[in-house]
Amino acid sequence: MERLLITGGCGFIGSNFVRYWLAQHPESRIVIYDKLTYAGRRENLLDLWDSANISLVVGDIGDQELVRKTCTDESINLIVNFAAETHVDQSILGPLVFTDTNVRGTHVLLEVARELGIRLHHISTDEVYGHIKDEHQSLETDELAPRSPYAASKAAADQLVQAYAVTYGIPVTITRGANNVGPYQYPEKAVPLFSTNAILGEVIPVYGDGLQMRDYAHVYDHCTGIEAVLLRGEIGAVYNVGTGREMTNLEMVDIVLDTLGQDHSLVRHVADRPGHDRRYSMNVDKLRSLGWEPKYDPRQAVAEAARWYAENRWWWEPIRNSEFREYYNRQYAERLAGTQTT
Ligand code: NAD
Ligand code: TYD
């Protein structure tokens, strides 16, 4: 029987993965290991906490003793590492915690995996490739060229995982995901921020010209991609996970506003993010070779996500009414002051 330690399982992608995995593999035992930062929320798994084969350990992945004890006590045979600080804008405001969790935390997991002989699957990101030129699609063999503190911390973690495979021969796999959208994404990220702002009739702060390009992939397809690698991936290998198709942020905003029936006059172009990556795009043929195909195209993914926020105010209203406000003001008050409608 698979006995999985899912780090960061109370976050956006981790909680979607836990729900997906349990539905597909009900015989598995899942131990969620999560620090419950602002982005980690028990309510993301509200429907599952009563299930006998899932439990939660609240802890930091940097706490080597607790990670080791949890893996030993629970006879864990697979660690899937979703735990991370994940928002580029937060990494610009306060970068050091990104190194603590994303680099040192991943390193601790590798040490425990090495000591106890556990397979580790690491969740990386397309941002490790840096922003890429028109036409090119990042391949798993491309050099890493991160440009934000977040991306640099993820690239360091990605390389540590690969170095452990080379040096110690431990069984690892890595997936590099595109921008995910879907249920339970904390509203600091663009699609849930824009959706919830639109629902509230608030303005939509688009950084710069809004012509940056992203592959907005549905989190469901990320979960099936990770599953394909866990079940059929080559040990030691890296796999890109996305749709292979990108759109501009302005196109994404149009889909959100049209889906929610809101007026396009809500759009405001605001001061750009420092070092804003212009374009991400990945080639996903290697994952396809495992028999995986995405179910959603990016337009459907964004529309589905926007609808989820319209239908699940219970989830995001308490977040937006609490500590999120302070972040929002810090990030946007000055940017929005004096902006004009497009
Ligand atoms: P998230 O911010 O929603 O969740 C992160 C989770 O990690 C939270 O539950 C948080 O409490 C937990 N966590 C943070 N620090 C921790 C620590 N020190 N110890 C234990 N738990 C800790 O993030 P997400 O969007 O679900 O991203 C999950 C993973 O996927 C991350 O590794 C991220 O880099 C990667 N990723 C995300 C995207 C995306 O679009 N969101 C795309 C590609 C890759
Ligand atoms: P985000 O969801 O933060 O993901 P990432 O920066 O990791 O790709 O942002 C997606 C895109 O939307 C990115 O190009 C930045 C842009 N963006 C805005 O224009 N305004 C915003 O308020 C936010 C949060 C993002």
Side-chain angles (χ1 to χ4, degrees):
M1 180 175 83
E2 287 296 345
R3 301 183 65 91
L4 294 85
L5 187 79
I6 308 286
T7 67
C10 291
F12 162 48
I13 305 174
S15 62
N16 277 282
F17 180 79
V18 166
R19 185 171 289 104
Y20 174 78
W21 186 270
L22 271 184
Q24 302 301 315
H25 309 277
E27 73 293 351
S28 293
R29 162 111 183 104
I30 289 193
V31 179
I32 294 173
Y33 186 100
D34 199 300
K35 191 178 173 184
L36 297 180
T37 67
Y38 71 95
R41 312 196 70 89
R42 290 176 204 261
E43 61 268 33
N44 292 3
L45 291 166
L46 204 57
D47 49 321
L48 289 184
W49 291 124
D50 286 341
S51 151
N53 42 7
I54 175 170
S55 63
L56 170 66
V57 174
V58 178
D60 192 318
I61 55 168
D63 182 344
Q64 189 167 355
E65 263 178 47
L66 185 59
V67 174
R68 186 193 294 116
K69 182 176 179 338
T70 306
C71 289
T72 307
D73 291 353
E74 296 282 354
S75 307
I76 295 298
N77 50 28
L78 173 61
I79 299 173
V80 186
N81 181 29
F82 292 93
E85 291 292 336
T86 60
H87 189 37
V88 174
D89 292 326
Q90 300 270 17
S91 85
I92 295 168
L93 293 172
L96 273 180
V97 67
F98 284 71
T99 304
D100 295 340
T101 288
N102 300 2
V103 186
R104 188 178 177 283
T106 303
H107 202 164
V108 165
L109 296 179
L110 284 163
E111 273 296 286
V112 173
R114 173 166 86 94
E115 183 185 337
L116 302 181
I118 301 171
R119 176 177 176 187
L120 183 140
H121 178 78
H122 177 70
I123 310 299
S124 188
T125 163
D126 60 0
E127 304 197 24
V128 299
Y129 296 116
H131 68 170
I132 51 162
K133 296 218 166 13
D134 296 350
E135 308 306 327
H136 183 65
Q137 294 207 302
S138 302
L139 290 164
E140 289 83 350
T141 46
D142 285 358
E143 280 196 8
L144 307 192
R147 292 164 28 94
S148 72
Y150 164 66
S153 68
K154 292 296 292 184
D158 189 310
Q159 292 190 315
L160 269 171
V161 175
Q162 296 188 65
Y164 264 59
V166 171
T167 306
Y168 302 110
I170 70 166
V172 299
T173 37
I174 295 175
T175 42
R176 295 185 182 141
N179 281 64
N180 276 212
V181 297
Y184 306 107
Q185 186 170 31
Y186 195 82
E188 65 192 350
K189 306 281 171 31
V191 170
L193 179 72
F194 294 173
S195 300
T196 53
N197 274 16
I199 292 162
L200 295 171
E202 292 184 18
V203 297
I204 309 292
V206 172
Y207 294 156
D209 62 10
L211 298 178
Q212 307 84 7
M213 303 197 85
R214 297 289 185 270
D215 174 351
Y216 289 105
H218 199 283
V219 64
Y220 174 86
D221 289 322
H222 195 177
C223 294
T224 61
I226 295 165
E227 180 192 43
V229 173
L230 291 179
L231 299 181
R232 300 185 294 283
E234 184 194 333
I235 295 295
V238 179
Y239 295 85
N240 292 338
V241 192
T243 72
R245 274 172 290 170
E246 63 271 19
M247 67 174 87
T248 66
N249 286 333
L250 286 179
E251 288 174 283
M252 175 268 280
V253 170
D254 283 348
I255 298 168
V256 168
L257 292 172
D258 290 346
T259 304
L260 298 172
Q262 285 290 1
D263 203 284
H264 291 242
S265 64
L266 288 176
V267 173
R268 299 288 185 283
H269 286 268
V270 300
D272 208 349
R273 172 188 281 173
H276 196 168
D277 284 346
R278 199 70 185 161
R279 176 173 176 263
Y280 302 136
S281 178
M282 291 187 295
N283 177 307
V284 294
D285 289 348
K286 188 170 174 187
L287 185 59
R288 281 203 166 94
S289 75
L290 298 181
W292 170 91
E293 273 299 323
K295 177 173 159 195
Y296 296 89
D297 78 25
R299 299 187 66 81
Q300 291 172 314
V302 171
E304 280 263 322
R307 268 193 292 276
W308 189 85
Y309 293 93
E311 288 161 8
N312 289 279
R313 293 177 78 123
W314 70 272
W315 182 80
W316 56 266
E317 274 181 335
I319 296 175
R320 294 208 38 145
N321 289 332
S322 59
E323 82 280 355
F324 180 77
R325 269 172 194 266
E326 201 224 323
Y327 165 74
Y328 192 81
N329 286 335
R330 197 169 163 208
Q331 182 66 13
Y332 296 103
E334 209 174 296
R335 279 186 157 98
L336 284 169
T339 53
Q340 303 292 321
T341 318
T342 46

